[in-house]
Structures are given as structure tokens and as C-alpha cells.
Amino acid sequence: MIKTLEVVLVAAFAALTLDTLWGVFSRYVLGNQSRWTEELAVYLLVWISLLGAGLAYGEKAHLGVDYFVGKMDPAAQRVAAIAIELLVASFAGFALVYGGFTLVSKTLEAKQVSPALGLQVGYAYLAVPISGVFFLTFCIENLVELFTGQASPRKGAPVTDA
């Protein structure tokens, strides 16, 4: 799942790069910037940010969580890691998945369309619940590893009983 997410993010970033280059080229060389380039760049940046945050969390590379948990003694690391995973899962489930699907469905019902791309905005907002599903999946995986002793709270290293 992580490899698939990485491929999607690389493709989205490549599309963002090409879109931005085309926007600059069409503006400064052709003298008339394409209308859709800026709007597409914004939507791609949102998707990359949300999915990238999920990927970073899945790889246990989330800087804030890793930093604070790493400062504790090993016994407290496990307790803190479980509490953090439960908090992240709660936020991901309620705000990202539930709130995101509510946002998407209400926006699709309203038939709100982006001005330049002509895309229903609800589809652009799908990044919110999709990233929430990734966060939840990684939280469940991390909790299973923590409860079974397969990994420590930091960077997936083996747990040592100290």
C-alpha cells in the first residue's frame, strides 16, 4: 500500500511540475497564461499535501510525533505511542473520514463547479477522506505492532524489553 501511495504521489508531483512549467511558459513565452494551470496546481498541491502526510505517518516519519516520543524512556514510549495512535485515529476517523465524506457529498449535491477546469469541486475534496482512510489504516497497523511487540514507537525498530 505504501509503494502504491508513493507512485501516486510521484505522478501527482510530476503533473504539478509539468503544470507549473506550462503555466510559466504560456504566460511569459506565449504571452497568455492558460486559465486552468493555476487551479490545477492548487488542487494537485492539496492532494499531494494530504496524501503525503498520510504516507509520512505510515512510514513513521511524522516529525512531531517521533520527536516527542523519542525523548521518553522506553517504558513510557509505548504508552505514549498508543495514546498518540488512538488520538490520531480519532481525528482521522471523525474529522478526515466522516467530515471529509460529508464535505464531498454536500459539495457534490450543490453541484459546485470549479471555474477554470469545469470539475465538480467535490471530487477535488476527495483527498480529505481518502487521506483519512490511509491515516486510519496506518494507525491500526501501528497499534497492532505496538500491542504484539513487533515494533517500537520509533521508526519501526524492534521492541526491547527494558
Side-chain angles (χ1 to χ4, degrees):
M1 186 166 65
I2 286 179
K3 289 296 180 195
T4 303
L5 192 52
E6 287 174 346
V7 169
V8 168
L9 283 166
V10 166
F13 197 80
L16 176 62
T17 303
L18 292 173
D19 173 64
T20 304
L21 288 173
W22 176 252
V24 170
F25 178 80
S26 64
R27 180 175 186 169
Y28 292 106
V29 175
L30 302 179
N32 186 15
Q33 183 175 357
S34 300
R35 282 185 39 195
W36 52 269
T37 56
E38 185 177 347
E39 193 170 286
L40 179 60
V42 168
Y43 290 142
L44 285 170
L45 190 58
V46 168
W47 277 80
I48 290 167
S49 299
L50 289 169
L51 294 178
L55 176 64
Y57 196 80
E59 291 184 337
K60 296 182 176 123
H62 194 278
L63 185 60
V65 173
D66 184 49
Y67 177 78
F68 291 116
V69 171
K71 294 291 184 186
M72 300 176 179
D73 64 81
Q77 282 185 3
R78 177 171 280 159
V79 173
I82 291 170
I84 289 168
E85 293 297 336
L86 292 173
L87 285 170
V88 171
S90 298
F91 176 79
F94 181 72
L96 296 177
V97 176
Y98 175 75
F101 274 122
T102 302
L103 173 68
V104 169
S105 60
K106 288 189 185 269
T107 309
L108 288 175
E109 285 174 14
K111 299 191 186 305
Q112 183 180 357
V113 177
S114 67
L117 292 172
L119 173 76
Q120 281 199 18
V121 178
Y123 295 123
Y125 292 160
L126 272 173
V128 176
I130 290 172
S131 69
V133 169
F134 280 112
F135 269 97
L136 275 176
T137 303
F138 293 135
C139 282
I140 292 167
E141 180 183 336
N142 292 342
L143 284 168
V144 168
E145 289 176 354
L146 286 166
F147 282 120
T148 60
Q150 294 176 0
S152 77
R154 299 188 73 224
K155 305 273 187 206
V159 175
T160 58
D161 291 327

